[in-house]
Amino acid sequence: MLAYIKGMLEMKFNNYIVIDVGGIGYKIFMSENAIETIGETGKIVKVHTHYRVREDDISIYGFLTNDELKMFELLIGVSGIGAKSAITMLSNITPSSFALAIISNDTSKLVKIPGIGAKSAARIVLELKDKLKTTEAVKTQNTQIQQVIIEDNKIQEAISALQVLGYNRKEIEKVLEKLDKTELSLEDIIRNSLTILGK
């Protein structure tokens, strides 16, 4: 409903700001990082917004960039992750680092965020990995993320091929952990895995 709000920054608090637009003060919840970097009160600011409506609550969440907004919207789509948890995550990890952690299955980076345990981190990776890999904004964000997507797709194809040959996923994953896959083609990964599995 509200794509963005532009007006005078009237007040700043720990977890929200107030923007005056034509004499109406909009209370907008934001991450601590965003509140710190948005600028000084009395200046004109613009924030991208997510308008959230619930039976007992109507709230506006604000973001300095579209990448932050997209990360927030992805997170609140995960079962068990609410708006407050998503805002906390935005205060502790950048969208690009978040995308990289999800695509590379790096749950250790996610559990460092306050309020995110091992189960929540695993669920976030499980529910968002495929979505992030097909998101154009993520794919074009930086070359490191592009490379991780390529590597992950290659590993998934190798796992599928080895499963067709009768090996179970757990033993395949154990073998793949031992291989330096960065310089290997898909065929080389399968060939080297078969050598180890055949021993």
Side-chain angles (χ1 to χ4, degrees), residues 55-83:
E55 285 184 15
D56 58 346
D57 180 52
I58 297 174
S59 303
I60 303 172
Y61 292 88
F63 312 91
L64 296 182
T65 66
N66 266 318
D67 286 339
E68 286 184 351
L69 171 59
K70 285 170 186 170
M71 176 179 159
F72 174 84
E73 290 177 338
L74 282 169
L75 280 166
I76 60 174
V78 175
S79 55
I81 303 294

Side-chain angles (χ1 to χ4, degrees), residues 11-76:
M11 290 178 272
K12 291 169 70 171
F13 297 94
N14 287 337
N15 62 342
Y16 71 91
I17 62 170
V18 175
I19 294 180
D20 183 296
V21 183
I24 298 172
Y26 289 91
K27 182 179 181 179
I28 304 168
F29 294 97
M30 299 182 78
S31 70
E32 290 176 11
N33 289 352
I35 292 170
E36 283 176 14
T37 57
I38 195 169
E40 298 301 318
T41 54
K43 293 186 176 179
I44 300 296
V45 296
K46 176 183 174 181
V47 295
H48 303 276
T49 54
H50 176 90
Y51 190 68
R52 193 164 169 83
V53 180
R54 290 290 177 268
E55 285 184 15
D56 58 346
D57 180 52
I58 297 174
S59 303
I60 303 172
Y61 292 88
F63 312 91
L64 296 182
T65 66
N66 266 318
D67 286 339
E68 286 184 351
L69 171 59
K70 285 170 186 170
M71 176 179 159
F72 174 84
E73 290 177 338
L74 282 169
L75 280 166
I76 60 174

Side-chain angles (χ1 to χ4, degrees), residues 93 101 104-113 116-118 121-122 125:
I93 189 170
S104 59
N105 295 309
D106 188 1
T107 54
S108 62
K109 188 174 284 186
L110 300 179
V111 295
K112 291 176 182 175
I113 298 168
I116 302 299
V125 169

